[in-house]
């Protein structure tokens, strides 16, 4: 079914899972978290607005770059469940999240460089190696230890 046809109808949980590639258990989890919503039929079956497919795409894309669900949820609070997230929303969210992503990249690069230096050194000494003892606590404990080192 093309996206335009999906957004014009309601979907069962199985149909939503099929169109989004998201498991039904994950859909139920997202619903409990408030990321998506459904209405219940008289037979207590879930029915999702067709725009939920796009909402799930926003959630999954955000998760794929490491954005926590709580942050995604905070953004989606401003979007009614029956309205699909727009490109403008994605643009604004990505601008806000870019700084965090860049910070994480910088941290990972520092860690990689530190690891490379540690491997080159090979000492693994508690009093010298910042990977073995990043806070320096082990050096302090070692100095107080009756064993001395």
């Amino acid at each position: 079914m093309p996206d335009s046809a999906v957004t014009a109808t309601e979907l069962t949980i199985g149909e939503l899972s099929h169109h989004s590639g998201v498991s039904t258990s994950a859909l139920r989890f997202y619903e409990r978290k408030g990321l998506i919503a459904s209405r219940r039929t008289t037979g207590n079956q879930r029915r999702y607005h067709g725009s939920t497919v796009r909402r799930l795409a926003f959630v999954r894309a955000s998760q794929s770059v490491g954005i926590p669900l709580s942050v995604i949820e905070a953004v989606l609070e401003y979007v009614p469940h029956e309205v699909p997230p727009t490109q403008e929303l994605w643009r604004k969210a990505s601008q806000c999240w870019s700084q965090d992503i860049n910070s994480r990249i910088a941290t990972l690069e520092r860690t990689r460089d530190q690891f490379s230096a540690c491997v080159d050194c090979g000492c693994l000494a508690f009093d010298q190696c910042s990977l073995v003892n990043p806070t320096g606590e082990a050096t302090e404990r070692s100095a107080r230890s009756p064993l001395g080192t």
Side-chain angles (χ1 to χ4, degrees), residues 104-124:
R104 284 188 275 142
I105 290 170
T107 299
L108 285 170
E109 287 176 340
R110 281 191 305 276
T111 301
R112 180 203 55 218
D113 294 346
Q114 189 178 23
F115 178 70
S116 295
C118 185
V119 169
D120 290 343
C121 170
C123 73
L124 297 175

Side-chain angles (χ1 to χ4, degrees), residues 64-113:
S64 74
V65 295
I67 306 302
L69 281 179
S70 59
V71 174
I72 299 167
E73 181 183 357
V75 169
L76 288 177
E77 284 179 2
Y78 298 100
V79 181
H81 285 280
E82 63 281 354
V83 176
T86 62
Q87 185 176 9
E88 183 61 24
L89 175 72
W90 181 241
R91 186 176 294 112
K92 286 179 181 178
S94 68
Q95 288 171 348
C96 293
W97 297 340
S98 288
Q99 184 177 356
D100 179 58
I101 292 168
N102 290 337
S103 175
R104 284 188 275 142
I105 290 170
T107 299
L108 285 170
E109 287 176 340
R110 281 191 305 276
T111 301
R112 180 203 55 218
D113 294 346

Side-chain angles (χ1 to χ4, degrees), residues 1-11 16 19 48-51 53:
M1 190 183 291
D3 280 346
S4 59
V6 170
T7 56
T9 64
E10 286 189 324
L11 303 168
L16 182 58
H19 287 292
Y48 297 91
H49 191 273
S51 64
V53 174

